[in-house]
Amino acid sequence: MSTQNELQDTISRMVQPGKGILAADESLPTITKRFKPINVESTEETRRAYRALLFTTPELGQYISGVIEFEETLGQQADDGTPLPQVLDKQGIVPGIKVDKGKGPLPGAPGDLITYGLDGLAERLVGYKERGARFAKWREVYPITTHNPTRLGRRANAEMLARYAAVCQAHGIVPIVEPEVLMDGDHDIDRCALVTEQVLHDVFHALHLHGVSLEHMILKPNMVLPGKDCRRAEPAEIADATIRVFRRVVPAAVPSINFLSGGQGPEEATANLNAINAGHPDQPWLLSFSYGRALQQPVLQAWEGKAENTATAQQALLKRARLNGAAQLGQYDAVME
Ligand code: 5MM
């Protein structure tokens, strides 16, 4: 298959009405943080058991079209010895891989961050593809303060995303481009809208410069929300602000926008996605989810690290996946909870 056909095939499998993406690519420090409240020690075996539980959830493929895995997971197996990427494949779910190597300060732009991992990326992608990955994910993180993100911060981060995306496409791997404007802070929804617009504008400028095929990528952005320490906003207000910004800066050629949850509660993230779809039909892109915490929080609480809780935990995952699938179609109602 040509590289172009490979990319198109993966996009067709991932971009489907009523389906979204499960982000299960927590790095070692993050999964340790997620396990702590349920008193589970993070070891290779507990991480394997947890990811196997997620991926073997019966019927998961009805609502989930792709799963983002952490590198370690790609080499792990389910209880019956099946490699975890194959478990996903059998469910009709495309296996993907987080390829960035975490973030740190950006010299010259105090308060801004930059993500590492471009060196050797092409070689790593070849190995990931051999082990079943068909798409990748790279996250750049933008904290909001009175002076962040700076212009340098926005441009440097956009450049990283574009270089990563171009390398992925050259290897037949669909890139998920994730610029995350953080919810931390007391900024209002207008400030988040302005920053998100500037960030996405710079990202698409860089993608254009690097010749990235917009038809063969997925955007994973934040919704436009007030900061965590500001007043709460209703789903309709969030949906209006989000769609206004995205219509200005995201080209229609992009097939799918899969929002991150970014610290929203599970029900909140579903209600907001539903408001986006129900209140603003007929957009050029599929508007779906690529949630980590908002899909997994109830699963972790049900599991508590105990094998006997597996079925209950899987039901919790399937429920959130189903409700977010409904929200993708604009058909969710809180009574379905
Ligand atoms: C699942 O978490 C992902 C990996 O994060 P770290 O590298 O910090 O461990 C993260 O990129 C995630 O995919 C996005 O933040 C979206 O997840 P949420 O929980 O915000 O929906």
Side-chain angles (χ1 to χ4, degrees):
M1 219 193 285
S2 70
T3 302
Q4 193 75 2
N5 288 348
E6 266 182 338
L7 294 171
Q8 187 51 53
D9 180 62
T10 301
I11 284 287
S12 306
R13 290 170 63 202
M14 292 181 72
V15 182
Q16 295 188 45
K19 295 191 185 186
I21 295 168
L22 164 65
D25 58 314
E26 295 84 0
S27 56
L28 298 180
T30 305
I31 196 74
T32 304
K33 201 159 69 180
R34 301 278 182 266
F35 280 0
K36 199 160 184 245
I38 56 162
N39 295 316
V40 173
E41 193 190 345
S42 173
T43 65
E44 205 177 324
E45 174 50 26
T46 55
R47 294 190 294 271
R48 185 208 64 79
Y50 177 60
R51 266 82 185 234
L53 174 159
L54 295 176
F55 300 0
T56 57
T57 297
E59 313 298 328
L60 191 64
Q62 276 189 31
Y63 312 108
I64 298 292
S65 60
V67 170
I68 313 169
E69 296 170 87
F70 182 57
E71 186 173 7
E72 173 189 66
T73 315
L74 219 51
Q76 290 182 323
Q77 295 159 359
D79 298 351
D80 67 359
T82 312
L84 286 177
Q86 268 183 41
V87 171
L88 293 174
D89 248 336
K90 283 188 188 159
Q91 296 246 46
I93 297 172
V94 185
I97 168 97
K98 181 242 296 296
V99 298
D100 66 68
K101 296 271 183 197
K103 57 192 185 319
L106 175 64
D112 286 338
L113 300 167
I114 195 82
T115 297
Y116 313 121
L118 277 182
D119 284 353
L121 178 60
E123 293 75 21
R124 284 198 284 135
L125 286 176
V126 173
Y128 297 149
K129 205 173 172 185
E130 277 168 12
R131 289 192 271 163
R134 291 293 172 269
F135 71 94
K137 192 204 79 173
W138 181 291
R139 178 166 67 131
E140 294 290 335
V141 181
Y142 304 77
I144 295 186
T145 69
T146 48
H147 57 282
N148 297 101
T150 63
R151 191 170 65 160
L152 170 61
R154 292 198 317 265
R155 298 221 173 145
N157 280 276
E159 188 68 14
M160 297 299 281
L161 284 168
R163 286 181 62 193
Y164 138 81
V167 176
C168 286
Q169 288 188 342
H171 288 80
I173 297 274
V174 165
I176 294 189
V177 172
E178 181 180 0
E180 176 175 6
V181 176
L182 294 179
M183 260 172 90
D184 301 334
D186 62 0
H187 53 272
D188 62 15
I189 192 168
D190 293 339
R191 173 99 176 110
C192 179
L194 176 69
V195 170
T196 303
E197 182 173 334
Q198 291 172 330
V199 161
L200 292 175
H201 181 92
D202 286 345
V203 166
F204 280 97
H205 181 69
L207 291 169
H208 175 75
L209 276 178
H210 285 264
V212 172
S213 164
L214 300 183
E215 290 81 357
H216 298 117
M217 61 160 275
I218 290 173
L219 181 68
K220 174 169 175 167
N222 53 286
M223 292 178 192
V224 175
L225 301 161
K228 266 193 273 195
D229 303 324
C230 187
R231 68 166 180 91
R232 300 243 349 231
E234 290 302 315
E237 184 183 359
I238 290 164
D240 290 353
T242 301
I243 290 293
R244 192 177 317 121
V245 166
F246 282 69
R247 287 187 66 85
R248 285 182 185 164
V249 282
V250 182
V254 173
S256 190
I257 297 176
N258 291 61
F259 293 101
L260 57 90
S261 54
Q264 300 174 61
E267 294 176 19
E268 189 185 359
T270 308
N272 287 337
L273 178 63
N274 189 67
I276 287 171
N277 280 299
H280 304 271
D282 302 323
Q283 300 302 321
W285 339 269
L286 189 87
L287 291 157
S288 189
F289 59 94
S290 174
Y291 293 162
R293 282 164 286 181
L295 282 169
Q296 293 186 56
Q297 207 172 291
V299 188
L300 286 164
Q301 279 160 3
W303 178 51
E304 291 180 319
K306 297 178 184 144
E308 65 265 30
N309 292 339
T310 297
T312 319
Q314 290 181 328
Q315 279 163 21
L317 175 61
L318 195 66
K319 176 181 170 186
R320 289 266 48 97
R322 178 171 51 80
L323 295 181
N324 283 302
Q328 193 295 307
L329 299 168
Q331 294 170 0
Y332 163 81
D333 192 297
V335 296
M336 293 158 82
E337 295 284 350

